[in-house]
Amino acid sequence: MSQGTLLITGGAGYIGSHTVRHLLEQNERVVVLDNLVFGHRDALPLDRVTFIEGDMADAALVEKLFAEHKPEAVLHFAAFAYVGESVTDPLKYYRNNLAAPLTLLEAMQRHSCKRFIFSSTCATYGDPVRIPIDESHPQSPVNPYGASKWMLERVLRDCDRAWGLKSVFLRYFNASGCHPSGEIGEDHNPETHLIPLVLQAAAGLRPHITVFGTDYPTPDGTCIRDYIHVCDLASAHALALNYLRKEGETVAVNLGTGKGFSVKEIITTAEAVTGRTIPVSYGERRAGDPSELIADPRLAKQILQWQAVHLDPRDHIDSAWRWMNGTRRGRYAV
Ligand code: UDP
């Protein structure tokens, strides 16, 4: 059901562009604001969205956008997300992920736009003290990326108290997979995520995949993650919007499947999906990697009526492989 216009920051990025597609399928009206630092113009159906190339920290641009389009809600994806870089260049992360959205929030306050859907992360929890991780798990981020997201959650709660801004913090676990059309996908440069790197190794675009650590306290010694399909993330955003439209209160919810897979299991599955042998090298642990991250996703079901449907990692890997092979850009054509 379409109501007002939706403003989507970072709508040309990986998760943003999948959510844009999903919202258009629901007949929503969408304005995308993206500075294209990491987003891709051709990830957007430009005949069906209003696209504004620009930065959310540009106060004049954001004011004009609000005056013209009067968005009913903001879905905020725009952020930097390289954990390692956030450790070496924290100010870049606090500037972009924490300070820049303040300009956006000021415009929302001026224009009485009181619905905010925030791309938060399980990195706000830090090293887990229990598995699965529910939303009441202590938040103790161990890197500036997680801290910047956690701090913005805090800002949003304060805005709720002060002027009634209602937010849903969607704490993503490991986003993966691509749109079934094969038209949009995970297109990071540089790429640091496991599944695209494994597939690049399968395609011969890199010599091997390095497994970061084989001595973790897990059954096969490699890290376990909860891989959540990007199309499931997209549908959660639409349901979070419904929730806020029904006057829901500010809430944080995990978006995960509740089931984990090890790095070795992902590689084996990718070999089965691609029919190729994937060269593997075994390396040291990567700093800051907890051995296991698995969501307790029950609250999302209870509050948003959301549940992941892509539970088999073969689905994630197969859709990512199809995108790599068939992308319109041909960037990874194999
Ligand atoms: N990983 C790996 N080799 C790589 C990239 C990632 O072994 O080249 C592992 C990483 O240590 C983690 C898992 O794969 O245990 C998922 O990592 P990713 O960077 O995709 O997501 P994160 O869990 O850091 O958000």
Side-chain angles (χ1 to χ4, degrees):
M1 171 189 41
S2 177
Q3 296 184 29
T5 296
L6 306 174
L7 171 60
I8 310 204
T9 71
Y14 171 43
I15 303 170
S17 63
H18 285 77
T19 305
V20 166
R21 297 261 168 154
H22 184 78
L23 292 169
L24 291 174
E25 280 160 20
Q26 316 262 308
N27 296 319
E28 297 286 356
R29 204 163 45 242
V30 166
V31 174
V32 170
L33 174 66
D34 197 304
N35 60 14
L36 299 184
V37 169
F38 288 116
H40 305 279
R41 188 189 297 271
D42 61 1
L44 290 169
L46 292 169
D47 52 334
R48 288 186 287 151
V49 300
T50 302
F51 173 53
I52 299 167
E53 182 176 346
D55 203 286
M56 66 187 146
D58 180 341
L61 176 75
V62 171
E63 173 55 31
K64 184 164 173 283
L65 188 162
F66 271 80
E68 214 166 291
H69 296 282
K70 303 189 175 25
E72 167 214 342
V74 174
L75 288 85
H76 176 55
F77 295 90
F80 292 153
Y82 291 108
V83 171
E85 183 188 49
S86 81
V87 175
T88 54
D89 195 354
L91 295 180
K92 180 172 174 180
Y93 279 71
Y94 290 119
R95 167 72 61 198
N96 193 62
N97 294 3
L98 181 63
L102 301 183
T103 303
L104 185 68
L105 289 165
E106 284 162 352
M108 291 182 71
Q109 183 178 11
R110 275 197 305 279
H111 290 267
S112 289
C113 175
K114 296 189 178 173
R115 295 176 182 148
F116 197 84
I117 297 173
F118 176 41
S119 299
S120 189
T121 166
C122 64
T124 62
Y125 296 117
D127 291 328
V129 295
R130 58 176 186 267
I131 295 284
I133 301 171
D134 62 26
E135 292 79 358
S136 66
H137 184 286
Q139 287 186 290
S140 184
V142 292
N143 53 62
Y145 166 69
S148 68
K149 295 278 183 173
W150 171 73
M151 288 179 198
L152 192 59
E153 287 191 5
R154 176 62 202 263
V155 169
L156 293 168
R157 285 197 193 276
D158 288 343
C159 290
D160 185 358
R161 269 187 289 273
W163 49 277
L165 174 72
K166 300 299 175 194
S167 298
V168 181
F169 313 147
L170 296 174
R171 296 186 185 145
Y172 308 157
F173 280 66
N174 284 61
S176 58
C178 298
H179 194 269
S181 68
E183 288 177 6
I184 50 174
E186 187 167 8
D187 196 355
H188 298 123
N189 186 18
E191 186 53 79
T192 61
H193 293 111
L194 180 66
I195 290 177
L197 290 179
V198 165
L199 292 179
Q200 287 176 16
L205 297 170
R206 56 180 67 237
H208 56 257
I209 178 74
T210 303
V211 174
F212 294 147
T214 52
D215 59 350
Y216 283 98
T218 59
D220 67 17
T222 66
C223 287
I224 293 178
R225 294 288 180 271
D226 184 335
Y227 293 91
I228 176 75
H229 197 286
V230 67
C231 292
D232 282 330
L233 292 180
S235 69
H237 288 77
L239 292 171
L241 182 65
N242 287 347
Y243 167 84
L244 289 179
R245 282 175 171 163
K246 289 184 194 144
E247 311 307 328
E249 289 300 323
T250 294
V251 69
V253 295
N254 288 336
L255 296 182
T257 65
K259 209 167 159 6
F261 295 90
S262 74
V263 174
K264 278 189 182 166
E265 285 174 318
I266 292 294
I267 295 171
T268 309
T269 308
E271 291 194 314
V273 167
T274 61
R276 299 185 184 193
T277 302
I278 298 174
V280 178
S281 114
Y282 294 97
E284 295 299 307
R285 290 183 177 200
R286 183 171 69 178
D289 267 343
S291 61
E292 211 174 337
L293 289 173
I294 298 177
D296 179 340
R298 285 176 300 176
L299 192 66
K301 184 171 183 194
Q302 194 188 315
I303 290 195
L304 305 181
Q305 286 76 53
W306 173 88
Q307 220 177 339
V309 296
H310 300 275
L311 299 177
D312 186 336
R314 266 178 303 194
D315 260 19
H316 305 217
I317 294 169
D318 182 57
S319 61
W321 183 238
R322 273 186 287 125
W323 177 73
M324 275 178 69
N325 282 287
T327 173
R328 282 177 293 156
R329 288 187 282 283
R331 195 171 302 173
Y332 297 123
V334 287

